[in-house]
Amino acid sequence: MTETAELKNLIKSILLEYQDPTQSEETQQKTYGIFDTVDEAISAAKAAQLEFETFSLATRKEVIEALRTELCPFVAEYARETVEQTGMGRVEDKTIKNKLALDKTPGVEDLRTEAETGDNGMTLYELSPYGVIGAILPSTNPVATLLNNGIGMLAAGNGVYFSVHPGAKNVSLKLIKHMNKIIEKVVGISNLFTSIAKPSNDAVNEMMQHKDVAILVITGGPGIVRMGLTSGKKTIGAGAGNPPALVDETANVDKAATDIYEGASFDNGILCTAEKGVIAVQNIERQLVDGLIRKGAYLITSEKDIQALVDATIIDNHPNKELIGKNAKVILESAGIQVTGDPKLIILRVSIDHPFVIKEMLMPILPVVSARDFKQAKEYALEMEQNLHHTAVMHSNNIGRMNEVARAMKTSIFVKNGSSFAGLGINGEGPTTFTIATPTGEGTTTARHFTRRRRCVLTDGFSLK
Ligand code: NAD
């Protein structure tokens, strides 16, 4: 026996000694998608995807059904762990988001075939898998986006390398493993979703350049979307927003106050779609603010307190990372403002050029700007949204005005007379998504966006017209 062989045997016997007797050797060797290197993770996802694409659509449906059913009992647990790890948001709201992603993310039914027929035969346009998708996840909705992207990308027949945010690493990797275990039970594949044990910026760069990543799907801030767009790969980029809520004098103002309160305070304001400011026509402004207060919003009035809040929440011209997604009470106290109870939203009256209006704060702070009339309100709403074309909300009973603002805003989501979250499918029709691709134009993404559109032509036949 050579020295190397002896050494190998010795290591094997030591490992066997410490092996958990309840697990088979095969189970112990499985990493359920989590690898040490980017290359290993992408290669494993590639091998898994090549096998997965040989299965029927019925099997894909079965896998998705298993994910929906088996993950459902864990939505609150994942919500709690996300809040614990990221320090952002509220458990009850994250639970709603996780459940929404499981229940309302479309599956294979989203892959609609188009056909053309005529004297020359029939042409189909089929939506086929890309292969391996490199999906970059945000810290603000790590689990909901993972569930949503996971189901949609798998429905489209892809494997996925998930680039998780380091600040949400543990909960994200736990969920990837969990999903792979469920997938394995149905189809015997354990690496359809992969990632690496130690996420880093270097790893993101490596993934973006990897030859076996067919397309990038990026959900995050403007910097990372820009990186994707300059990577040389096809990119679906879902970037930042700064949604205004415009309320005119024809609106049901009390309902508008309720809807805006619920949307802006949801998960402490960290959804990219959440109302980040209100533009109110001046003759209903007081009624609206009163309505927000009645719902539980905490109004700050003194200039001194407003300045203290700015100083606490904006550092070097950027939102203070320590306070992003924190409860309103924590934010107020960090500004030296003592409150009783646990208000979910801070409101204050400011002018259109105030930093709280212009910056995407991702905090439960809602500035209210008064506009002279509808015309000025529309101009202010456009100014606040800054051509991000992401999301806008309007409360009005004037259809002509709603049409006019919707056309002018050019946003991926435009909600009329509801909370911003209606645009994600909460109390609003339509499927859900946590990847709203505005810079690249796909809008509210679903399975069909994660496919390659292919033309398939049959000559001289199957036109039955
Ligand atoms: P972020 O841009 O800081 O991080 C997003 C992802 O990019 C993370 O996985 C992070 O690790 C990675 N990343 C960031 N900078 C990087 C760098 N220099 N090199 C390599 N990787 C890098 O965003 P966030 O704070 O996690 O999320 C909040 C932002 O995302 C907000 O701007 C919000 O509007 C946006 N967002 C948009 C959508 C949408 O659908 N449009 C959804 C959720 C969040």
Side-chain angles (χ1 to χ4, degrees), residues 136-141 163-166 201 204-205 219-222 224 227 238-241 272 360 362 390 434-437:
I136 298 186
L137 303 172
S139 60
T140 44
N141 313 305
S163 187
V164 309
H165 194 289
N201 286 357
V204 175
N205 280 309
T219 312
I224 189 70
M227 269 176 69
C272 54
E360 188 196 31
L362 300 169
H390 192 296
F434 284 87
T435 297
I436 299 121

Side-chain angles (χ1 to χ4, degrees), residues 340-358:
T340 50
D342 184 21
K344 281 186 79 182
L345 188 66
I346 303 163
I347 56 172
L348 65 164
R349 291 182 162 106
V350 291
S351 58
I352 185 66
D353 55 356
H354 192 276
F356 286 163
V357 181
I358 299 305

Side-chain angles (χ1 to χ4, degrees), residues 338-392:
Q338 299 305 321
V339 279
T340 50
D342 184 21
K344 281 186 79 182
L345 188 66
I346 303 163
I347 56 172
L348 65 164
R349 291 182 162 106
V350 291
S351 58
I352 185 66
D353 55 356
H354 192 276
F356 286 163
V357 181
I358 299 305
K359 289 183 194 302
E360 188 196 31
M361 295 296 291
L362 300 169
M363 295 176 198
I365 298 177
L366 187 74
V368 179
V369 179
S370 178
R372 201 171 47 242
D373 52 17
F374 165 69
K375 187 168 173 284
Q376 189 176 50
K378 180 181 141 192
E379 283 163 16
Y380 280 177
L382 284 165
E383 200 172 328
M384 178 179 161
E385 215 275 331
Q386 297 164 68
N387 285 333
L388 292 165
H389 303 306
H390 192 296
T391 297

Side-chain angles (χ1 to χ4, degrees), residues 247-253 284 394-399 401:
V247 188
D248 80 5
E249 70 280 15
T250 71
N252 178 341
V253 179
I284 51 92
M394 181 165 175
H395 294 267
S396 171
N397 276 308
N398 184 321
I399 291 175
R401 283 183 180 179

Side-chain angles (χ1 to χ4, degrees), residues 135-197:
I136 298 186
L137 303 172
S139 60
T140 44
N141 313 305
V143 164
T145 313
L146 184 44
L147 292 169
N148 172 250
N149 280 188
I151 292 174
M153 292 171 183
L154 182 154
N158 299 292
V160 192
Y161 172 92
F162 282 107
S163 187
V164 309
H165 194 289
K169 181 188 80 173
N170 294 347
V171 71
S172 308
L173 298 188
K174 177 177 162 178
L175 178 58
I176 291 170
K177 282 188 184 176
H178 195 167
M179 290 166 103
N180 277 325
K181 283 182 186 168
I182 295 168
I183 296 167
E184 190 196 40
K185 274 200 273 175
V186 185
V187 286
I189 298 173
S190 64
N191 291 320
L192 201 58
F193 296 153
T194 64
S195 194
I196 50 164

